[in-house]
Amino acid sequence: MAAIIKEGVDQEGEPLKENMLQYSGELDQYKEENSDKDLLDYFKGKISKEDYEILKISLFLRFRFRLKENVSDIKSDIIKRFGDRGKNIANLCSAEYFEEYIRPLWDTIHKSVVKKDEADQKFKKIFELIVRDGLLAVFVHHKMTEDKLAAKIAGKIEESRRYGFVMISDQLYVHALSLPNVKTVLQWIKNNPEFPNVTIVSEGPDFITVSIPIDHNALDAYNSRPL
């Protein structure tokens, strides 16, 4: 972590250095407790070096946030160094997606796909979608029924209209792990012809990623359908 700070100071100059010094004591405490070592060890070599560095700092940010400390300086430093990608990874980390979705995703894909290179590529493709388009993603969990998934998808598309997210991506991505959740997604596709051009980006027995064009006409057709 010290190497991360030094590199950040070199690249960003005095303002970043001043911010880092403000929470250097908490950083030492975090390093001593080493509460996220297992997660960091797991992802070493599985994601790019830059994303791994972002993950390290993001885990420290989460550590501070859970202590009810002000983390605005840390998040600002992440964005200064890594831009939107850093912000997205920090947000995913804070919401525990690396433990609850991304780590199981890697395991699931590598159990389902025999060739390691092919499995690595499938993981990287989905990981990139999650990191790059995190604002426009739906993660299906075991309590999410088809009706709840439909409502979530409609809500996300409506958000894109309200907040202009289409400038970031013209696709909404749905990610699911485990066979029951995969079936929920496939059933939604079958029962919602109002949404054309739905594409299965990647699929295996226990995982699926689907892209849905952010089509507000399709959303209006969905909302006006007979119940």
Side-chain angles (χ1 to χ4, degrees), residues 42-159:
Y42 179 85
F43 279 106
K44 192 168 187 177
K46 292 182 172 69
I47 58 179
S48 72
K49 289 182 179 180
E50 179 177 87
D51 288 344
Y52 186 75
E53 295 298 291
I54 300 171
L55 178 59
K56 280 200 235 183
I57 304 173
S58 298
L59 286 168
F60 171 58
L61 180 151
R62 188 175 73 179
F63 167 77
R64 282 285 307 278
F65 178 78
R66 288 175 174 175
L67 292 177
K68 303 187 184 303
E69 300 286 344
N70 188 327
V71 297
S72 59
D73 287 343
I74 307 172
K75 193 155 192 179
S76 176
D77 292 340
I78 291 173
I79 295 170
K80 283 179 185 177
R81 286 194 59 203
F82 302 107
D84 287 342
R85 191 174 188 86
K87 179 178 66 177
N88 290 344
I89 289 178
N91 289 340
L92 291 166
C93 179
S94 295
E96 298 188 357
Y97 279 144
F98 278 86
E99 292 98 325
E100 295 183 6
Y101 188 85
I102 299 175
R103 181 171 180 166
L105 175 67
W106 196 95
D107 290 338
T108 299
I109 290 175
H110 283 76
K111 286 177 182 176
S112 302
V113 180
V114 176
K115 294 181 179 179
K116 184 179 182 303
D117 289 347
E118 183 182 347
D120 288 344
Q121 288 305 311
K122 282 182 176 289
F123 171 78
K124 288 177 182 177
K125 187 173 185 178
I126 300 175
F127 180 75
E128 186 64 22
L129 293 175
I130 294 169
V131 170
R132 190 186 63 217
D133 303 305
L135 288 174
L136 293 168
V138 174
F139 297 90
V140 182
H141 54 77
H142 70 284
K143 293 182 179 179
M144 187 177 284
T145 63
E146 184 189 342
D147 287 343
K148 289 181 178 178
L149 173 59
K152 191 75 171 179
I153 290 170
K156 287 283 187 177
I157 293 176
E158 181 57 40
E159 281 181 5

